[in-house]
Amino acid sequence: MPYEARAGVVPVVIAAGFLGEWRIERIAPVRGESLPAARALRRLEGGLEDVADAAWILKGVSGHARYVRREEKAALDKIQPALGRAQADCAALIPIRKSDVWWALPQDERRTIIEERSHHIETGLRYLPAVARRLYHSRELGEPFDFLTWFEYGSADAAAFEDLVGRLRETPEWIYVEREVDIRLRRDASSNEDE
Amino acid sequence: MPYEARAGVVPVVIAAGFLGEWRIERIAPVRGESLPAARALRRLEGGLEDVADAAWILKGVSGHARYVRREEKAALDKIQPALGRAQADCAALIPIRKSDVWWALPQDERRTIIEERSHHIETGLRYLPAVARRLYHSRELGEPFDFLTWFEYGSADAAAFEDLVGRLRETPEWIYVEREVDIRLRRDASSNEDE
């Protein structure tokens, strides 16, 4: 399928296999089925083409914010760092699928669960700019996950990142998560950076 | 790209060309570039595969509601008719693209423009069940339009449909529409129905 570039819409292919700038340190199933073992992975932004010889591939599209309000968006835009910072030698890829019950909820109730009850946006803000993040949407692409969440941080902030992830998993929002895999990565010093 | 079926997520391919259960009566550009002329079109739900020998193809995915609240969703679910009714011999395909400014707005402001200022959901409800509708999202698929809106109605309700479309185009929401093509269709009595 040819992919026409649209402003603010960034397609990604995450390809795991033998090669990649991120060495896979562990793949842990949090809920539901895990993903196959692999040595390394690549995060390829700009298209949705398949990658030959990959152990597995996940696809997503980064786009407009689905839940944030004006003041939250302003706060995020102000403090959110770019990906690919030299000091960020750790990364995490956490693909997530939410339940049919979640997707059948109206917009206002999903927003209430995410923010007013789970403080997802507020919690995320507290860990910025230490943890750089990107959210890719996968559901509309017919993918096995609804989201691919991507995080980059320095070793010094590894404990803070565990804290962030642990807090989110204890929220009412996470009741609706039916599949989650936690993949931890380390930048491969021998590989060229792509950003 | 293989497409994994997810509950409530329905991919569609709309293929225009020589064959199809819907005869194209006219293709009119409302804003921006039009689409090439063709004799007929097909609405193929269930996958995103390309169709050989089509004059043009548009793709989208029907999924969860992005803006409706609990009470609006209940009202819609109660009154919204299915597609493919025998008496609905007219249809319209209106692909729409909104501007970058629209997509940069936070969720609460997009909701305010759509409903509190433009009464989009409320207006749509007033024309139910005469006009059956389906909304496909295309933006994340790298398509030239953000949405494919599809309507089916009987000849007796054609004036009501014009009224609905005319009202929506006068709303503050439509300021953000930068491309729109209005394609009117008539069920081809010589073709088999697909639903």
Side-chain angles (χ1 to χ4, degrees), chain B residues 19-42:
Chain B
L19 293 174
E21 73 272 29
W22 294 99
R23 185 161 42 79
I24 296 176
E25 300 214 306
R26 62 182 172 89
I27 299 182
V30 179
R31 205 168 291 182
E33 199 191 339
S34 192
L35 284 162
R39 184 182 162 276
L41 66 73
R42 284 168 285 178

Side-chain angles (χ1 to χ4, degrees), chain A residues 1-4 6-7 9 59 61 64-70 73 97-98 100 103-110 139-146, chain B residues 1-4 6-7 9 59 61 64-70 73 97-98 100 103-110 139-146:
Chain A
M1 177 166 82
Y3 198 97
E4 182 175 326
R6 300 287 309 276
V9 179
K59 297 178 179 182
V61 179
H64 66 284
R66 269 40 169 201
Y67 296 99
V68 295
R69 297 190 174 149
R70 165 69 58 180
K73 188 167 191 298
R97 185 172 72 212
K98 284 179 173 171
D100 294 345
W103 293 110
L105 290 174
Q107 174 72 21
D108 56 334
E109 296 185 16
R110 278 182 277 114
R139 182 173 169 79
E140 280 74 23
L141 303 180
E143 285 280 307
F145 295 94
D146 291 333
Chain B
M1 177 165 81
Y3 198 98
E4 182 174 324
R6 299 287 309 274
V9 180
K59 297 179 181 184
V61 180
H64 65 286
R66 269 41 169 201
Y67 296 100
V68 294
R69 297 190 172 151
R70 165 69 58 180
K73 189 169 191 295
R97 184 172 73 212
K98 285 180 172 170
D100 294 346
W103 293 109
L105 290 173
Q107 173 73 21
D108 55 334
E109 295 185 19
R110 277 183 277 114
R139 184 173 167 78
E140 280 74 23
L141 302 181
E143 285 280 307
F145 295 93
D146 291 333

Side-chain angles (χ1 to χ4, degrees), chain A residues 3-161:
Chain A
Y3 198 97
E4 182 175 326
R6 300 287 309 276
V9 179
V10 182
V12 73
V13 172
I14 293 179
F18 189 72
L19 293 174
E21 73 272 27
W22 294 100
R23 185 160 42 77
I24 296 177
E25 300 213 305
R26 64 182 171 88
I27 298 182
V30 177
R31 204 168 293 182
E33 199 191 340
S34 192
L35 284 162
R39 184 183 163 275
L41 67 74
R42 282 169 285 177
R43 185 178 57 86
L44 306 161
E45 286 196 340
L48 291 177
E49 294 77 28
D50 282 327
V51 171
D53 301 326
W56 47 264
I57 289 175
L58 295 174
K59 297 178 179 182
V61 179
S62 173
H64 66 284
R66 269 40 169 201
Y67 296 99
V68 295
R69 297 190 174 149
R70 165 69 58 180
E71 68 281 7
E72 293 158 350
K73 188 167 191 298
L76 285 165
D77 288 349
K78 198 173 164 189
I79 200 174
Q80 209 145 227
L83 297 184
R85 294 174 296 176
Q87 76 272 28
D89 54 333
C90 302
L93 166 65
I94 308 185
I96 285 168
R97 185 172 72 212
K98 284 179 173 171
S99 67
D100 294 345
V101 172
W102 172 261
W103 293 110
L105 290 174
Q107 174 72 21
D108 56 334
E109 296 185 16
R110 278 182 277 114
R111 157 76 200 190
T112 299
I113 294 165
I114 284 180
E115 194 52 22
E116 282 69 27
R117 293 185 53 210
S118 302
H119 311 288
H120 188 142
I121 301 161
E122 186 195 326
T123 302
L125 267 168
R126 245 182 284 154
Y127 295 87
L128 291 174
V131 180
R133 313 154 335 148
R134 190 154 299 173
L135 175 65
Y136 302 101
H137 299 265
S138 296
R139 182 173 169 79
E140 280 74 23
L141 303 180
E143 285 280 307
F145 295 94
D146 291 333
F147 309 101
L148 310 178
T149 66
W150 179 270
F151 307 88
E152 292 180 5
Y153 50 94
S155 324
D157 293 309
F161 179 68

